[in-house]
């Protein structure tokens, strides 16, 4: 397996695309995300997926109290990776929170030179994981493809991209072809 580059597909799950918390912006990036994953797979790039993962008690959690919309409940259709990307799943890291310390640890230990993130939501899980990876592996080149990400809103998407740029995460734009 090529240890040069790792592509991380963040939370491209039914509930975030066209389910409980879906948005038109999330639906709009699906073709670009699929094309990106296909191209990276052809190049031999390692591809990991993350899944936002909650239990039946979600509404009793701190997150559930602040966002009282049950979503990504383990074992439900909304928790699954979207159908268009399911054939490309090599490895999945289930994460109980926005950012995954487990993901950052695995990236740090794996020895990749470059890590690129795409997915949902730019302003919550993508930014959280990009910054955790940057902290865990400061010499790894971390980037995000803005065209393959969507935020809760276009404004918060752009704010998250600016935050990541400020923290030395490269933001790529206009490189994806849907």
């Amino acid at each position: 397996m090529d240890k040069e580059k790792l592509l991380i597909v963040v939370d491209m799950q039914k509930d975030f695309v066209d389910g409980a918390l879906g948005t038109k912006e999330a639906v709009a990036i699906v073709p670009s995300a699929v094309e990106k994953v296909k191209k990276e797979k052809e190049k031999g790039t390692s591809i990991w997926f993350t899944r936002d993962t909650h239990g039946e008690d979600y509404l009793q959690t701190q997150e559930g109290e602040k966002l009282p919309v049950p979503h990504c409940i383990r074992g439900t259709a909304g928790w699954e990776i979207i159908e268009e990307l399911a054939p490309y799943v090599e490895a999945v890291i289930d994460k109980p929170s926005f950012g995954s310390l487990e993901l950052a640890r695995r990236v740090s230990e794996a020895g990749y030179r470059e890590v690129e993130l795409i997915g949902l939501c730019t302003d919550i899980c993508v930014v959280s994981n990009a910054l955790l990876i940057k902290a865990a592996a400061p010499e790894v080149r971390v980037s995000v493809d803005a065209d393959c990400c969507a935020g809760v809103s276009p404004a918060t998407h752009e704010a998250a991209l600016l935050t990541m740029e400020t923290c030395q995460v490269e933001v790529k734009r206009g490189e994806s072809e849907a």
Side-chain angles (χ1 to χ4, degrees):
M1 187 174 295
D2 181 13
K3 289 290 192 174
E4 287 295 312
K5 182 176 180 181
L6 170 64
L7 177 67
I8 299 174
V9 182
V10 179
D11 298 357
M12 288 294 290
Q13 296 163 266
K14 183 160 181 49
D15 273 349
F16 289 131
V17 175
D18 61 4
L21 293 172
T23 64
K24 65 181 185 203
E25 292 84 7
V27 170
I29 69 159
V30 169
S32 296
V34 170
E35 187 62 27
K36 171 79 136 192
V37 169
K38 282 183 184 178
K39 284 183 177 179
E40 292 298 330
K41 181 88 168 167
E42 288 170 6
K43 292 181 194 174
T45 300
S46 297
I47 303 170
W48 295 357
F49 285 73
T50 68
R51 260 190 314 221
D52 193 45
T53 302
H54 302 293
E56 294 292 333
D57 66 340
Y58 173 74
L59 292 176
Q60 284 72 52
T61 66
Q62 187 178 73
E63 180 182 328
E65 290 174 7
K66 295 184 185 305
L67 178 64
V69 178
H71 65 279
C72 299
I73 306 298
R74 182 184 297 275
T76 65
W79 174 68
E80 297 296 338
I81 302 297
I82 60 170
E83 185 178 318
E84 297 89 336
L85 289 171
Y88 304 99
V89 174
E90 295 174 10
V92 177
I93 297 171
D94 292 333
K95 53 185 195 55
S97 180
F98 306 133
S100 172
L101 294 172
E102 176 71 11
L103 175 64
R105 182 190 63 74
R106 287 188 189 182
V107 168
S108 176
E109 292 173 356
Y112 291 99
R113 292 178 188 208
E114 178 184 356
V115 175
E116 184 173 14
L117 294 92
I118 65 172
L120 303 167
C121 292
T122 319
D123 44 345
I124 302 173
C125 295
V126 175
V127 67
S128 297
N129 286 292
L131 296 180
L132 284 171
I133 291 166
K134 195 67 183 161
E139 294 305 316
V140 172
R141 182 174 168 229
V142 179
S143 64
V144 63
D145 185 334
D147 300 331
C148 294
C149 292
V152 172
S153 73
T156 57
H157 167 77
E158 289 299 325
L161 294 173
L162 181 59
T163 296
M164 287 186 276
E165 281 182 317
T166 303
C167 295
Q168 301 177 3
V169 172
E170 180 186 352
V171 175
K172 300 176 179 181
R173 295 177 187 264
E175 296 180 20
S176 298
E177 299 169 17

